[in-house]
Each structure stands twice: as C-alpha cells, then as structure tokens.
Amino acid sequence: MRWTRRPRLCLAGVLAAATLLAAPAAPSAEPTDGHLTDLVNPFIGTQNEGNTFPGAAVPFGMVQFSPDTGHKTGYDYAHSRIRGFSLVHLSGVGCRIGGDLPVLPTTGKVTQTDNARYAAAFRHEDEQASPGYYRVGLSSGIDAELTATARTGVQRYTFPATDRANVLLNAAQSLHKAVSGKAEILDDRTVRTEITGRGFCRDTLSYTVYTVTHFDRPFTAYGTWDGKTVTPGSRTGPGGAYVRFDTTHDRTVTATTALSYVDARGAEVNLRAEGGRSFDAVREAARRAWEERLDDVRVQGGDASLRRTFYSSLYRSFLAPNVGSDADGRYTGWDLRVHHADGFTYYQNWSLWDTYRTQCQLLALLAPREARDMAVSVVRVGEEGGWLPKWGYGTVETNIMTGDPVTPFLTTAYHSGLLKGYEERAYRVLRQNADGVPPADVPMAGREANAEYIARGWAPYVKGRRQTKLGDSDYHQGGSVTLEYALSDAMLAQMARALGHTADADRYAARSRNYRNVFDRSTGFFRARDAAGAFTGPADPAQSVGFHEGTAWQYQWLVPQDLPGLVDLIGGERAANDRLDAFFAYHKLLADPAGTARQAWMHGNAYAYYDAATYNPQNEPDLIAPYTYLSTGQPWKTTDVVHAALTLFTDSPTGMTGNDDMGTMSAWNVLSSIGLFPVQPGYGTWGLSTPVFDRVDLTLDPAHWPSGGLTVTAPGTSAADRYVQSARADGVPYDRTYLTTGALRSLRSLDFTVGPRPSEWGTSPQAAPPVLK
C-alpha cells in the first residue's frame, strides 16, 4: 500500500446511466470478484495503428513481455502468426523500437533461424490478456503464458508430450535493426545474451541490453546459431540459442528472464532480486500491483463498456516511462557511464512531445512519487548527457519530433511540487536549454533554431536544410516550432519568477508572445516564415507547410499562455467562436456527435496529419483545442466537443484515437472523462468540463496532495443532460471554468449540477483560465 485509501465502493452497486454512443465492444467479462483489473482490455488499440501491446507488464516496468506478430511496434490484432515473445515494447509509439530477445517454444528439430519462418499460428479465440498476464494457444499445440515483475519476464510453456520440446532465444532479430547479438549457454539451466540495436524512426545506434534467462529444469540438449547455420552442442553464437527438454512426463517448462541496461552483472542482480518465485505467484503479484494502482480512481455511473474503456485507458497511462535502474540502483547515464540512483528510481524512455500535454499531469496527480523520480531522472539526463532530451530512448537521444517539449514536462513537475531539493538544478538545465543551442559534440538537438528565434522572434522554415544531427529538424517545421518555443518560454517564465529569477522571468515572458510573429494577418492564420522573414508555403491554412504533423488550422489554438491575445489577432471573441465552430464542425456535431467525430474529424489512418481544416482527435497538436471555448465565453461547447471525442475510445482492438504515444491519448481520455484537464501544459491550470460519470473518487497521496482525495460528482450526467448548470467546490458555489493546482491541493469535493441545456455558468470574462505573464 502506498498510502491510506478510502473504503472500496461495491461494484455491484455501481449505477447504470445513459452514455454517449460507442462502437461495439470486444467481449470482456464484468468483474465478479470486485477486481478493477477485470475491467481492463489490453487488446484495445492493437489494430489500426494504435500500436499498443497486449502482453504482461507491471506499472512503469522495465520489462513489457509481449508477443510480436510482424508489426513494426510488435503486435497487430489483424495478424495470425507470432514470431516470438520479446521483452521490450513501448505502448503506442509510431516507429520501430524494442522487441529484444524474442523467445518462442517449438517442437521437433531446430532448422530455421529466421523468426518470420518459424513463427507459430494462433487464433484470438485461444488468446487472453489482463494486467500483468498474457496467454495464447499456438497451432503447434503449445500453450504459452507470460507474466512480469519490474525487471523480469516470466514465461510458462505447456508442451505436448515429446522429447524435442525447444525454446528458441533469438539474439539477432528485434523490432529494430539489430547491430550485434550474442547468446551464451552458461550451464544446464541458464542462457545469457547481449544485444545492441538500431532503431526508432532513424537508424541511430540506440542501446545495449543484457539478459539472463534461468529455467526451472535442466536442458536435455542445446545449441546456437550463426546466420542460417545451427550448431547443436555449441555454447556460444551471435544469432541465438535453443535449449531442449523432454516433456514426455512433465509437460511444463518455466523460465525467468532478467533485463539490464547496465551490464551482464546487472541482469544477474535483477534476477536474484526479483526471480525465484513461481509463475502463479508472480502473476498474482502483478495483478495486485495493478489493482492497487487502478484503485486510486473509483467511478460510479456509465455503462459497462464505458467503464472498461476508462479503466483500460487508466491502465495504459501507467505503462511508461520505464524503470531504467537495476535493483542495486545502478543505471547507464547519457554520458554512457554507470551511475547510482541515490534516493530515487531512475526512469527512461521519454516521448516528451506527446506526454507533456496530458500524461505527465495525470501521473503528477495519481502517481506523484513515481512522477517525482521521473522528473529527477530527466534532470540527471541534462546534467550527465550535457543537454536535456527531446525524445530519449534508453541511453541516447533520438531527436524525434520538434520544439521544446522537455520544458513544460519539467515545469509541470515543478508546479506540482515534485522537484523539492532539485529546483535550482532543474532550472539550471532548463535555462541552458532555453537560451542556447547544443554543441556539435552532444547528440541532443535541443532548440535547434534557437539562435534565430531569439534574435528575430521566430524559428525559420528552411526547406531541405541538411540536418546536422540524426532525427527531426526544427528548421523543417518553423511554424509549429515557433509556437512550441513560445509555449515553453511562457511556462519557464512562471518557474523563473517563482524561484526569484525576475530578469529571466521577464525575458521569457516577453518571448512567450513570439507566437504573434508567425501570424499572417492577410490570411488570419499562423504561417511559417523563411530565413528572410517572408511568409512561405501555401496561403491555404489547410495546405500549410512548416507545421509538424498538422496544419495551421490545427495549430492555431496552441497558445494556451495567452488565448485572449490570440482571440484579438483572429478578430475578437465572436470571430474566434465562429472559427472554433467551423473547426469542430459544431452544428453537425450537435445533431450527430459520434458520426461527426468519425466522419468530419478523422481523415484516414493514424498518420493522416495534413490537408485538413478540422479537428484531428488522432494526434497531439489538437489535444487542448476543445478547451479553447473556456476562454471564449462558451464553456458548454467544450463539453459538447469533448464528449463527442470520447466516443472514439471504444472497447475493441480499434478503440484508440491514433497512436497512444506512451499513454498520451489514454491520459486524455481519463482526464476528460473525469472533467479535469490541464489546459496550460507546463503550468498548474486545470480546465473543467462535465464528467461522464455520476461520481469519481480519487485517492491522492497526502504527502503531495494534502486533501488526500478528491470526489467529483455530476449526478445524472448523460448524453441528454451534459451541461453544467452550477458547480460547488467544497460546498461553496464556484463559477470559474478552471482550478489551479494550488486550489486542487486542499480541495475534497467538486460537485456539478447538470441539465439538458447550456447555462450562464462559466461565461463571464473572469471565469476563463488566466493569461500567463
């Protein structure tokens, strides 16, 4: 137990209520024993490029033990063959990474070394998954089960009766491009591997992982392979190893694989620390870990499908970032030296361009102790690696995506009170990042266009500019990069002022208005500018260039620090609301919310970012856009848009809005369903909208949230009665459309009265979220 909890609510007494329309759900049993884990469907998002995985993991675990079917990120529900069960997966990412050490049970003679050839067929009818557990029946007659601890994956195989029951451990094939591999048979129960790979959107040398696998019984035979050559009796091979058992009488083989990013000794340390228990004991411990985590949010109301969708999103929100330090505290830093984490757990894997908008705020609320260690880990990356990261995997920077996402990530932690004792250290690396450009000898690109941005007030769009470092270039996305830099400047200004760095605060606050410098008054939209200052690219904002994974239509609302200033540029509140209505196809939405979400907003698959003048709920640039109405005097429209977007989350393999991106979209679902959303990412401002549940009880860590818990109620909320008529905070009438983190710390109850029509609640100018100065 992490902290004292409220008594559980009886699931048998959960209220039923009408909810928004949703796509048909995949079969999933309601809990019969009160377990919230029974409400989680790990297959959600495994089809149509949601890129989630159904395998076994514990919250924030180093290991994500899951099947690989040939899809670039691991598992695709549309596939029917499994190539292996591998140790490392990232939930919802868009490029190849991980999939290290795919392991597959087989029978008979070992002749194939290509896992695409020895892959085993399976049917979904013979497959099941729940938090911390995965099972599948293979066409070979073998039953495979997976479970996990933080640093180990445990596998149990039930073979047919045979004297040739094999387990293949592939050191040469992963989801990424392998650079080198090595497998060693250490004794008659143990196999060790060392794997180095390239991957994640660019063929950059990424990381090395070390594993040790210990079986519960001795091998009857073994061998290794090099390329296509299999050598029985060999103890070492660069391609992989196989081990054999006689299952004529005892058909079950169990093995535990420990992982380390430090060295082989680290894998052994992790095996000793977390191995040694039975499969069933590990599975039950994993289930309990998830139950405890999910139990921090108890909902009443909504139908069974809505609850399953909600708890599945909550589950995915806790899959990353991932533990990076070994059980003895050692970790490999970004200087590629071994360090020791004293007083914290070191975490890694930073999809910051995505997670700074939703997931890091959800973790600050529900997992503050882990969120604190995650923030400290990023500070250590900045100190040890020489610069702060943008998209970090393992021990290196991939430089995927653009802008400056690390700043709002760390300022969120600061304003949530998670950087105590690290405030000045965090500010020091943030200031370096905000005011400079990384030197050539560090891999991080940082604010690549910062020199021009500081000197001229915008980041230039330079078509075809040669990249000096691997990854994406800020110069290729000057329009959106200017908006991202300005947002980050606004958030850093607030932190600087709170720490007493007044001159810095004033300077960053002034720079936060640089969004105005890419506003083209002739079109009324943001546009990229070239190095000479001329607006460039098509004048049509739906055909814009220089905006990363989006158009000027979609990026126009990314000014959360100064929405009144943006409204003035557009032409006033009425013009802004008219444009918002067009953007969300609002009049169609009122008649058919779910149909509008699927037909007017979505323009193709998860990667259809461009050539659109409407809301794109599948990708990050638009995540806060529905909450813009809170600043234009029409807060009821935020509820209309948010509730329509929530219909895109369903209890099916296709039930994700695009890539989940390390829990980003899942966290959006959770927060928007509760009615509490971070509308100024990087600062402590939470926008309010109508919850989809009658009641939500949040159990909060009193060390970080003195209230110890928050109850949000909206009795009778439904598709028909979805408009806030009034609100009360701890029993006192509350008429603003936002809460600050400071207010949230002591708040115990937030109660909404809802009705069938919009009201005057939250419509006054004073009710809108603040301008950051």
Side-chain angles (χ1 to χ4, degrees), residues 97-98 100 171-172 174-181 194-200 202-209 393 396:
I97 199 70
D100 298 295
S174 302
L175 299 176
H176 56 71
K177 294 183 179 179
V179 175
S180 64
E194 178 179 330
I195 301 167
T196 299
R198 300 180 186 271
F200 201 77
R202 303 292 186 272
D203 289 339
T204 176
L205 185 63
S206 295
Y207 60 95
T208 298
V209 294
Y393 181 77
V396 300

Side-chain angles (χ1 to χ4, degrees), residues 376-655:
V376 169
S377 298
V378 170
V379 172
R380 296 289 286 263
V381 169
E383 293 174 338
E384 294 160 4
W387 213 269
L388 286 169
K390 185 173 291 184
W391 209 123
Y393 181 77
T395 56
V396 300
E397 173 64 274
T398 70
N399 290 318
I400 297 304
M401 306 313 297
T402 51
D404 177 19
V406 71
T407 292
F409 173 85
L410 282 177
T411 60
T412 290
Y414 171 74
H415 291 295
S416 300
L418 304 180
L419 285 174
K420 292 180 180 178
Y422 277 83
E423 295 95 335
E424 288 298 337
R425 289 174 65 176
Y427 182 73
R428 190 157 51 245
V429 290
L430 282 168
R431 187 178 188 273
Q432 176 194 49
N433 178 72
D435 289 344
V437 177
D441 61 349
V442 302
M444 288 75 89
R447 289 192 182 195
E448 185 185 9
N450 215 20
E452 295 90 338
Y453 171 80
I454 293 172
R456 304 172 190 174
W458 74 86
Y461 167 70
V462 185
K463 183 178 180 180
R465 177 187 169 102
R466 182 178 177 274
Q467 293 172 249
T468 58
K469 296 182 180 181
L470 291 171
D472 293 310
S473 172
D474 285 358
Y475 287 106
H476 296 166
Q477 315 291 349
S480 58
V481 161
T482 300
L483 299 177
E484 300 265 14
Y485 286 5
L487 182 156
S488 295
D489 281 335
M491 305 310 160
L492 187 54
Q494 305 307 307
M495 181 179 179
R497 187 163 286 114
L499 290 174
H501 302 293
T502 306
D504 283 354
D506 292 343
R507 182 162 50 87
Y508 295 136
R511 280 172 24 186
S512 75
R513 306 292 181 249
N514 280 345
Y515 72 87
R516 299 171 181 264
N517 296 330
V518 289
F519 189 82
D520 182 357
R521 294 184 181 275
S522 70
T523 64
F525 285 85
F526 293 122
R527 290 181 72 187
R529 298 177 70 172
D530 64 21
F535 289 111
T536 185
D540 180 356
Q543 303 293 322
S544 53
V545 300
F547 291 85
H548 205 168
E549 295 190 359
T551 68
W553 264 103
Q554 291 151 2
Y555 269 95
Q556 67 183 315
W557 315 111
L558 195 62
V559 190
Q561 70 270 26
D562 184 24
L563 281 173
L566 173 62
V567 168
D568 287 343
L569 288 178
I570 291 173
E573 197 170 271
R574 180 174 180 178
N577 279 322
D578 287 345
R579 188 176 290 185
L580 281 164
D581 289 350
F583 180 63
F584 291 115
Y586 183 73
H587 298 296
K588 290 182 180 179
L589 180 152
L590 285 179
D592 183 6
T596 300
R598 294 196 175 276
Q599 297 164 23
W601 292 350
M602 298 174 68
H603 304 282
N605 64 31
Y607 304 104
Y609 307 128
Y610 299 104
D611 302 332
T614 53
Y615 177 48
N616 179 5
Q618 297 173 286
N619 206 34
E620 281 73 17
D622 285 357
L623 291 184
I624 63 173
Y627 296 89
T628 306
Y629 283 118
L630 301 183
S631 294
T632 62
Q634 298 184 334
W636 68 89
K637 292 183 177 178
T638 287
T639 291
D640 288 332
V641 173
V642 167
H643 284 210
L646 286 171
T647 67
L648 297 171
F649 293 85
T650 68
D651 182 24
S652 73
T654 60

Side-chain angles (χ1 to χ4, degrees), residues 38-249:
D38 294 338
L39 292 172
V40 174
N41 179 0
F43 291 106
I44 294 175
T46 58
Q47 192 171 350
N48 289 0
E49 304 301 337
N51 294 351
T52 58
F53 64 86
V58 296
F60 313 117
M62 180 185 290
V63 168
Q64 306 88 41
F65 208 6
S66 190
D68 296 327
T69 64
H71 187 268
K72 63 185 178 184
T73 63
Y75 182 93
D76 189 325
Y77 196 82
H79 293 174
S80 60
R81 294 175 66 82
I82 290 174
R83 301 183 179 194
F85 306 104
S86 62
L87 292 173
V88 178
H89 298 83
L90 299 186
S91 183
V93 298
C95 296
R96 296 181 184 276
I97 199 70
D100 298 295
L101 193 63
V103 178
L104 192 73
T106 68
T107 57
K109 187 176 180 180
V110 177
T111 58
Q112 291 290 345
T113 62
D114 180 354
N115 62 20
R117 292 180 176 273
Y118 63 66
F122 74 103
R123 301 183 309 153
H124 294 304
E125 293 83 354
D126 295 327
E127 188 181 36
Q128 69 180 92
S130 60
Y133 177 72
Y134 173 86
R135 188 206 69 80
V136 65
L138 303 176
S139 61
S140 57
I142 302 169
D143 193 69
E145 298 174 274
L146 311 177
T147 189
T149 70
R151 299 174 179 87
T152 73
V154 186
Q155 52 212 289
R156 180 166 66 187
Y157 304 123
T158 303
F159 288 90
T162 177
D163 62 356
R164 289 189 174 186
N166 313 305
V167 178
L168 280 58
L169 300 93
N170 197 322
Q173 290 180 288
S174 302
L175 299 176
H176 56 71
K177 294 183 179 179
V179 175
S180 64
K182 181 182 180 181
E184 299 176 87
I185 309 292
L186 296 185
D187 55 41
D188 65 356
R189 292 174 183 248
T190 312
V191 181
R192 183 169 64 194
T193 71
E194 178 179 330
I195 301 167
T196 299
R198 300 180 186 271
F200 201 77
C201 295
R202 303 292 186 272
D203 289 339
T204 176
L205 185 63
S206 295
Y207 60 95
T208 298
V209 294
Y210 305 86
T211 78
V212 58
T213 302
H214 186 75
F215 290 82
D216 68 337
R217 54 195 287 192
F219 319 139
T220 58
Y222 57 82
T224 65
W225 66 82
D226 182 353
K228 296 181 179 180
T229 303
V230 179
T231 306
S234 169
R235 287 185 173 271
T236 305
Y242 72 88
V243 295
R244 178 168 293 159
F245 304 89
D246 186 338
T247 58
T248 304
H249 302 292

